[in-house]
């Protein structure tokens, strides 16, 4: 069962991020708000906003304790965000060093030990929101649900392509 104070914290955080997204002027604003909001929502050490770019995942923004992948592109089939978009469902990665969906050469030199990723527009994903922890952590259903809610808000706030 979820800690009531943590549930309240998540609800307040989601309400604040939703309000900020309502006033987003462009995709840059959406990216920044979502990255910062996702990190706070999940009490994570980092978060990334990822968009699908053809057969690549474009890491457009991040909010993290150390630089990760902002500005980089990875093949859809060699990236957990790509997996999430292709499978159209969230991924919970308890240990990045023990999950075959994780490109070890990219993750090994980072602080990341655990992750959770949700698609943006699950029926036809255009992107993903990823959160990371520097310790072993298994994202629970409450964290995934909160991130899914954020992804819905992000999808609504994104300018039409």
């Amino acid at each position: 069962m979820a800690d009531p104070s943590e549930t309240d914290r998540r609800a307040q955080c989601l309400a604040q991020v939703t309000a900020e997204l309502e006033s987003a002027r462009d995709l840059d604003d959406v990216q920044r708000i979502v990255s910062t909001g996702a990190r706070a929502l999940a009490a994570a050490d980092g978060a990334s906003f990822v968009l699908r770019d053809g057969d690549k995942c474009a890491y457009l923004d991040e909010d993290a304790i150390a630089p990760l992948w902002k500005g980089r592109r990875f093949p859809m089939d060699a990236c957990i965000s790509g997996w999430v978009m292709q499978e159209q469902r969230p991924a919970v990665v308890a240990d990045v060093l023990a999950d075959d969906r994780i490109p070890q050469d990219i993750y090994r030199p980072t602080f990341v030990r655990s992750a959770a990723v949700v698609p943006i527009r699950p029926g036809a994903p255009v992107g993903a929101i990823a959160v990371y922890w520097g310790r072993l952590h298994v994202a629970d259903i409450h964290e995934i649900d909160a991130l899914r809610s954020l992804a819905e808000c992000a999808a609504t706030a994104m300018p039409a392509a």
Side-chain angles (χ1 to χ4, degrees):
M1 179 163 217
D3 174 3
S5 62
E6 184 60 17
T7 301
D8 289 346
R9 184 197 68 79
R10 274 195 208 108
Q12 290 173 348
C13 183
L14 189 57
Q16 179 182 344
V17 173
T18 300
E20 290 178 30
L21 283 171
E22 288 174 0
S23 64
R25 296 180 317 273
D26 54 27
L27 184 58
D28 287 341
D29 282 351
V30 172
Q31 293 167 182
R32 178 186 46 75
I33 293 165
V34 169
S35 295
T36 302
R39 181 176 176 190
L41 195 60
D45 297 314
S48 294
F49 181 90
V50 184
L51 283 184
R52 185 177 201 145
D53 183 15
D55 63 349
K56 301 246 190 297
C57 292
Y59 282 72
L60 299 181
D61 200 20
E62 70 187 7
D63 181 331
I65 60 173
L68 292 168
W69 306 287
K70 183 176 179 176
R72 296 186 62 190
R73 285 173 164 55
F74 299 102
M76 290 282 288
D77 60 357
C79 171
I80 190 68
S81 294
W83 184 91
V84 163
M85 286 184 257
Q86 290 170 335
E87 294 294 318
Q88 301 182 27
R89 61 188 172 111
V92 174
V93 180
D95 183 350
V96 298
L97 301 178
D99 193 306
D100 62 4
R101 298 171 296 180
I102 299 292
Q104 295 299 310
D105 56 329
I106 295 170
Y107 277 75
R108 197 171 291 112
T110 73
F111 70 85
V112 178
R113 288 302 310 272
S114 297
V117 187
V118 298
I120 298 172
R121 291 193 184 126
V126 296
I129 299 169
V131 293
Y132 316 99
W133 293 270
R135 61 182 163 62
L136 294 178
H137 176 81
V138 179
D140 65 28
I141 189 65
H142 304 290
E143 289 168 314
I144 297 301
D145 285 347
L147 291 168
R148 281 180 161 163
S149 294
L150 176 58
E152 288 173 21
C153 294
T156 302
M158 287 173 57

